[in-house]
């Protein structure tokens, strides 16, 4: 049986190699996991406490099932094994810190306690046990969401190590996102202003599919477009009649997703997706040494798709680009206030998941009181204000460590390196958009992004019987 692989850095070539057979339990679990990941955006992007709890239970059941599954005969190199161990330590420490924020009892007046506890005790006229967080249940829910993301990462890591697992999950994500985008396009063409069977209460002039927020919808569709782009890269490098037919088929999800992104009217989503796609093509040249014709071919395809999409569907997006709508001044007020909140409690934070409850007390006279700021509109600032600077730095270090492992997979993988490219570009999209928005706070996107990282890292795995590749001298 032949397997198409990349003999980096010289280029792509086809070699003959034995492939392990995927067991029936593994095949069923991969399919079920793909369905679970694909269904995440359906219930309002899983952005409600009820769905957080349901997803936690489902992910826990998969953890138990995968633990009983016979591991795939694969191995990682020493650096990735070390990186995974460090990542597990960081994730455990972060989860522990959230639990400390929510559960550690403190005396009223303690410098670690949120001041709201002393004010509440005085108002009620009775003693209270203070906590670091102002809202313990919200912090416990945030800890549950973080634990669910860790579980999704672990399950994906285990399932994707089975033969063809990572590539199969990539295709699941691509077609699922295209299906949601198609649903949104149909609603837009019908002039419907509904989400599922609910009447829209926000962004009535924008395509959001099953999402409430247009920026989150654009981010999810952008991830799907990057998955389709990764699949297109894989098809191009195989250079066969079958892969050419598949490349033509991929124009369908690419077109659907591109139009959906533009019709959301999300400036940050469209810009971040375009940047991530461009960086992906640069990585093909700089890291994978792609054949000369591949990158121009893909670039022309993407630019042509973008221009055609803007011509057909871009009126709403272009109108939003031309008009600021006063949001710039409001954001400056918001960011300045968040910086003051961080300065007030730089080490402990206000408690994970509590921003929307604490922020109103920090409003200044003259700020727009009719605006409800449920998020800081900058994931980095919100991490710092909720977790404290040390824990926020640990969270960013965790993500950077996982992305570095994906980069190593992109550099060293011999078969599924396009999956690692997808993981890196997806997180670049979210990291850039996170400077001004909060798509990562939607659980459908959080869990999809966690799965993407695991899939990318797995692409560096090798069969356990295969000898380590010698280092190439330069």
């Amino acid at each position: 049986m032949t397997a198409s692989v990349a003999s980096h850095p010289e280029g792509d070539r086809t070699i003959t190699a034995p492939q392990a057979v995927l067991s029936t339990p593994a095949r069923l679990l991969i399919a079920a996991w793909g369905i679970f990941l694909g269904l995440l955006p359906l219930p309002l992007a899983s952005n409600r406490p009820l769905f957080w709890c349901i997803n936690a239970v489902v992910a826990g059941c998969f953890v138990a099932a995968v633990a009983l599954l016979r591991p795939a005969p694969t191995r990682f190199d020493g650096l990735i094994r070390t990186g995974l161990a460090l990542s597990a330590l960081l994730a455990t420490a972060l989860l522990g810190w959230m639990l400390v924020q929510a559960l550690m009892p403190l005396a009223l007046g303690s410098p670690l306690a949120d001041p709201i506890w002393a004010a509440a005790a005085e108002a009620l006229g009775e003693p209270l046990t203070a906590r670091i967080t102002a809202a313990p249940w919200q912090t416990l829910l945030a800890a549950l969401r973080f634990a669910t993301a860790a579980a999704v990462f672990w399950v994906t890591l285990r399932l994707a190590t089975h033969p063809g697992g990572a590539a199969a999950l990539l295709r699941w994500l691509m077609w699922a996102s295209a299906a949601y985008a198609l649903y949104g396009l149909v609603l837009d063409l019908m002039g419907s202003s509904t989400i599922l069977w609910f009447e829209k209460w926000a962004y009535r002039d924008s395509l959001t599919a099953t999402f409430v927020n247009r920026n989150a919808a654009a981010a999810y569709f952008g991830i799907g477009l990057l998955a389709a782009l990764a699949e297109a890269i894989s098809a191009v490098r195989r250079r066969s009649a079958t892969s050419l037919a598949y490349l033509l088929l991929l124009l369908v999800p690419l077109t659907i997703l591109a139009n959906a992104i533009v019709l959301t009217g999300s400036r940050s989503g469209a810009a971040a997706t375009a940047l991530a796609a461009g960086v992906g093509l640069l990585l093909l040249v700089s890291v994978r040494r792609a054949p000369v014709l591949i990158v121009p071919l893909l670039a022309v395809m993407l630019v042509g798709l973008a221009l055609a999409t803007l011509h057909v569907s871009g009126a709403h997006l272009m109108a939003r680009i031309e008009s600021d709508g006063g949001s710039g001044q409001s954001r400056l007020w918001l960011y300045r206030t968040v910086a003051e909140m961080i300065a007030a409690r730089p080490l402990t934070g206000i408690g994970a998941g509590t921003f929307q409850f604490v922020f109103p007390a920090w409003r200044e006279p003259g700020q727009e009181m009719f605006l409800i700021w449920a998020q800081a509109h900058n994931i980095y600032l919100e991490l710092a204000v909720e977790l404290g600077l040390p824990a926020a730095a640990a969270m960013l270090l965790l993500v950077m460590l996982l992305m570095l492992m994906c980069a190593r997979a992109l550099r060293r993988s011999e078969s599924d390196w396009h999956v690692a490219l997808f993981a890196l570009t997806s997180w670049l999209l979210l990291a850039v958009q996170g400077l001004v928005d909060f798509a990562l706070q939607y659980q459908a996107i959080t869990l999809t992004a966690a799965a993407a990282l695991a899939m990318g890292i797995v692409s560096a795995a090798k069969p356990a019987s295969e000898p380590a590749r010698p280092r190439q001298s330069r």
Side-chain angles (χ1 to χ4, degrees):
M1 183 179 293
T2 61
S4 179
V5 302
S7 179
H8 182 71
E10 288 81 4
D12 291 347
R13 62 189 176 92
T14 301
I15 65 172
T16 301
Q19 291 184 348
V21 177
L22 186 63
S23 66
T24 299
R27 183 180 295 108
L28 292 175
L29 275 175
I30 290 172
W33 188 242
I35 292 172
F36 170 68
L37 294 177
L39 289 176
L40 288 172
L42 183 60
L44 303 177
S46 296
N47 195 40
R48 297 292 186 275
L50 172 62
F51 302 127
W52 300 342
C53 296
I54 292 173
N55 290 337
V57 171
V58 174
C61 292
F62 272 101
V63 167
V66 170
L68 298 174
L69 186 67
R70 185 175 181 179
T74 56
R75 62 175 176 80
F76 293 106
D77 63 32
L79 282 177
I80 288 186
R81 288 198 303 271
T82 302
L84 288 172
L86 290 175
S87 300
L89 288 174
L90 281 171
T92 302
L94 285 164
L95 180 60
W97 173 241
M98 293 179 196
L99 295 177
V100 166
Q101 284 184 316
L103 300 176
M104 186 173 74
L106 297 169
L108 292 175
S110 168
L112 296 179
D114 192 285
I116 197 173
W117 293 100
E122 182 180 353
L124 295 172
E126 60 182 62
L128 295 174
T129 302
R131 299 287 191 274
I132 292 175
T133 176
W137 277 108
Q138 293 300 320
T139 300
L140 287 175
L141 280 173
L144 177 69
R145 294 167 65 189
F146 183 76
T148 304
V152 166
F153 176 86
W154 185 82
V155 171
T156 307
L157 192 74
R158 285 289 305 272
L159 291 178
T161 56
H162 290 270
L169 290 173
L170 178 65
R171 289 190 290 272
W172 272 105
L173 291 178
M174 177 188 71
W175 288 112
S177 60
Y180 288 110
L182 180 60
Y183 167 72
L185 288 171
V186 170
L187 290 181
D188 189 73
L189 289 172
M190 293 171 57
S192 173
S193 58
T194 59
I195 303 175
L196 300 176
W197 51 88
F198 303 106
E199 189 70 21
K200 275 190 176 184
W201 56 93
Y203 303 109
R204 296 175 64 88
D205 61 342
S206 300
L207 183 153
T208 60
T210 57
F211 290 76
V212 175
N213 183 279
R214 63 180 162 214
N215 300 305
Y220 185 76
F221 299 149
I223 291 173
L225 187 143
L226 294 172
L229 177 61
E231 281 287 285
I233 291 169
S234 177
V236 168
R237 71 189 181 92
R238 285 197 296 267
R239 306 175 195 170
S240 66
T242 303
S243 62
L244 177 59
Y246 184 51
L247 181 63
L248 295 175
L249 176 63
L250 288 173
L251 290 175
V252 175
L254 281 168
T255 302
I256 291 172
L257 289 161
N259 277 277
I261 291 169
V262 169
L263 286 170
T264 62
S266 172
R267 295 166 292 190
S268 63
T273 300
L275 176 64
V279 170
L281 295 181
L282 289 177
L283 288 174
L284 276 181
V285 177
S286 61
V287 178
R288 290 305 311 190
R289 306 290 197 273
V292 176
L293 291 179
I294 288 183
V295 174
L297 173 64
L298 292 171
V300 168
M301 182 179 72
L302 286 176
V303 170
L305 179 64
L307 292 175
T309 302
L310 287 172
H311 177 72
V312 174
S313 309
H316 179 41
L317 177 62
M318 297 307 295
R320 292 204 69 239
I321 291 174
E322 293 172 3
S323 173
D324 176 71
S327 64
Q329 185 64 37
S330 299
R331 293 287 179 91
L332 289 177
W333 280 345
L334 173 64
Y335 295 154
R336 185 177 67 248
T337 304
V338 173
E340 293 171 359
M341 295 170 69
I342 295 171
R345 304 189 68 188
L347 298 180
T348 62
I350 62 174
T354 64
F355 178 84
Q356 63 179 316
F357 303 100
V358 176
F359 179 76
W362 286 81
R363 283 183 180 272
E364 297 177 358
Q367 281 190 332
E368 297 164 274
M369 302 303 291
F370 61 87
L371 286 178
I372 299 174
W373 295 104
Q375 289 84 22
H377 288 260
N378 181 301
I379 58 174
Y380 308 100
L381 289 177
E382 191 155 339
L383 279 176
V385 75
E386 290 190 346
L387 296 180
L389 292 174
M395 183 73 79
L396 294 178
L397 178 61
L398 172 61
V399 173
M400 288 174 62
L401 188 58
L402 294 171
M403 290 184 70
L404 284 173
M405 285 186 275
C406 286
R408 183 170 178 80
L410 176 63
R411 169 85 173 131
R412 298 178 64 85
S413 175
E414 295 180 345
S415 56
D416 288 337
W417 55 262
H418 67 289
V419 182
L421 182 66
F422 158 71
L424 285 171
T425 52
S426 295
W427 271 87
L428 175 61
L429 184 163
L430 295 172
V432 171
Q433 194 194 34
L435 292 168
V436 292
D437 276 308
F438 48 92
L440 259 174
Q441 292 173 273
Y442 281 75
Q443 195 179 54
I445 296 178
T446 306
L447 300 188
T448 300
L453 280 175
M455 291 155 51
I457 293 170
V458 163
S459 63
K462 297 179 181 298
S465 58
E466 181 180 324
R469 189 179 68 181
R471 260 178 122 58
Q472 295 181 2
S473 60
R474 286 184 176 269

